[in-house]
Amino acid sequence: MSIINGESDARLAVTAAQAGAAVVRGLYGSRLERHDKSAGDFATEADLAAERAILDVLRAARPDDAVTGEESGRSGAADAHRRWLVDPLCGTLNYAVRNMLVGVNVALREGSEVTAAATADPFSGEVFWTDGEAAWVRGDGPDERLAPWSGSALVDVNLDPPFPNAPGFQAVRLLADPGFARRFRPRVVSSTLAVAWVAAGRRAAYVTDGDLRDSVHFAAGIALCRAAGCTVTGLYGEPELSAAGGLVAAADAETHAALLELIKNQVP
C-alpha cells in the first residue's frame, strides 16, 4: 500500500470517489444537457462535472500520476507506472431517466496491478474500497470487511454492447439456457456498481463480454472482488484483463465453475 505525503492511495481513492458521488447526487433529477459520443452512447453534464471533481482531488494529491478519465481521456506519460482510471458515472442511461442504479469508480493501476480502488454509490452513501489486499464497505458506521456470498443465486449479466466474443458467447443466450434458470436468477443493473455487490455478498456473480484491459468501468470492481476473495477470470477461465475476454466474477469457486460450464456450452 503506497503512502505519499501522509495519505494512502486507498484513502485517496475513497476521497475522490466520494467527491464524484457528491456531484452526481447533487445534480440528480435536474435537466441535464446530453453530449453525444458514439453508437448511441452519451454523457450528461453530471458525468463531466463529477469527473472534474474527481480529477481535482487526484491532481491535488498526486500531481505526477497519469490519469485516464472516461470523459477527458488520457493525460500524463503514456508509459506511466502509476495511472488512475476514472469512471465518474457508471450507469449514465439509468441516471438520465432518474434511476438511481449508478456507481462512481476510481482505481489506481501500478504497473500491471490495481493497488487501490473505490466504487461509490451516490445514493446509499456507501463506498466499497480496497488497498489491494483486503476490501471493505464504508457506510454510516465503522468500515466492514466485504464477505462474498453465493446464497442469493442472483447473477448480474451485462447486456450492453460491445460484444467482441459474439457469436461464440452472447449474454442473452446465457440467460435463455435452461441450466442457468435451474440454478440462478438473472439481474440486469446496467452499472458496474453490481460488480462491487459481488464482493459485498449482494450478488452471487457478475458476467459481461468486452475488452476490460485498462477499463475505467471495471478496474475498481475487479480489484474489489479479487481482494474480497472472489473467483475472477475471463469468460473462458483465462486471467482477467487478458485481451478481449470479458469477465466472470463469482462469490466462490463452485458458482464460478457452474457459470463457466454454461458459457462453454455456447461455443460450437
Side-chain angles (χ1 to χ4, degrees):
M1 177 176 63
S2 299
I3 299 177
I4 302 175
N5 297 328
E7 182 174 33
S8 73
D9 290 327
R11 186 184 299 275
L12 180 59
V14 170
T15 301
Q18 288 175 323
V23 173
V24 171
R25 187 168 55 250
L27 290 175
Y28 179 75
S30 57
R31 295 181 63 86
L32 299 171
E33 182 180 356
R34 296 189 181 192
H35 303 268
D36 290 333
K37 294 161 78 170
S38 61
D41 193 14
F42 63 89
T44 69
E45 185 54 40
D47 298 72
L48 303 178
E51 183 161 305
R52 288 194 295 268
I54 293 168
L55 297 187
D56 285 347
V57 171
L58 296 178
R59 287 170 175 160
R62 304 286 192 270
D64 297 329
D65 288 356
V67 177
T68 298
E70 181 182 11
E71 309 308 334
S72 59
R74 295 169 66 91
S75 63
D79 60 349
H81 179 71
R82 290 170 55 91
R83 177 172 293 276
W84 293 90
L85 305 172
V86 176
D87 180 5
L89 204 175
C90 191
T92 297
L93 184 55
N94 289 345
Y95 185 82
V97 296
R98 302 190 182 187
N99 184 307
M100 294 182 178
L101 289 172
V102 301
V104 176
N105 296 307
V106 177
L108 172 64
R109 176 178 55 72
E110 292 190 87
S112 61
E113 297 293 326
V114 174
T115 57
T119 295
D121 180 338
F123 299 104
S124 73
E126 293 178 311
V127 184
F128 306 90
W129 67 276
T130 178
D131 59 3
E133 298 178 1
W136 295 267
V137 59
R138 178 168 299 176
D140 294 332
D143 289 3
E144 297 180 9
R145 190 79 170 256
L146 296 185
W149 179 64
S150 62
S152 70
L154 300 177
V155 176
D156 211 280
V157 180
N158 181 21
L159 300 181
D160 293 329
F163 307 119
N165 287 282
F169 168 79
Q170 292 180 294
V172 292
R173 296 213 322 266
L174 177 65
L175 299 180
D177 190 308
F180 185 94
R182 281 194 297 269
R183 177 157 186 167
F184 300 114
R185 293 293 177 267
R187 293 294 183 271
V188 181
V189 169
S190 296
S191 166
T192 52
L193 178 62
V195 185
W197 287 350
V198 177
R202 303 176 192 179
R203 288 288 188 272
Y206 182 96
V207 180
T208 185
D209 199 351
D211 186 340
L212 275 58
R213 291 171 294 184
D214 248 8
S215 170
V216 297
H217 306 290
F218 288 95
I222 289 172
L224 287 164
C225 285
R226 292 182 65 185
C230 300
T231 302
V232 185
T233 70
L235 288 170
Y236 306 110
E238 69 276 28
E240 81 279 7
L241 305 185
S242 62
L247 173 70
V248 180
D252 53 43
E254 182 182 0
T255 299
H256 182 267
L259 286 166
L260 286 194
E261 187 65 24
L262 291 168
I263 291 168
K264 186 177 71 173
N265 290 343
Q266 288 197 20
V267 181

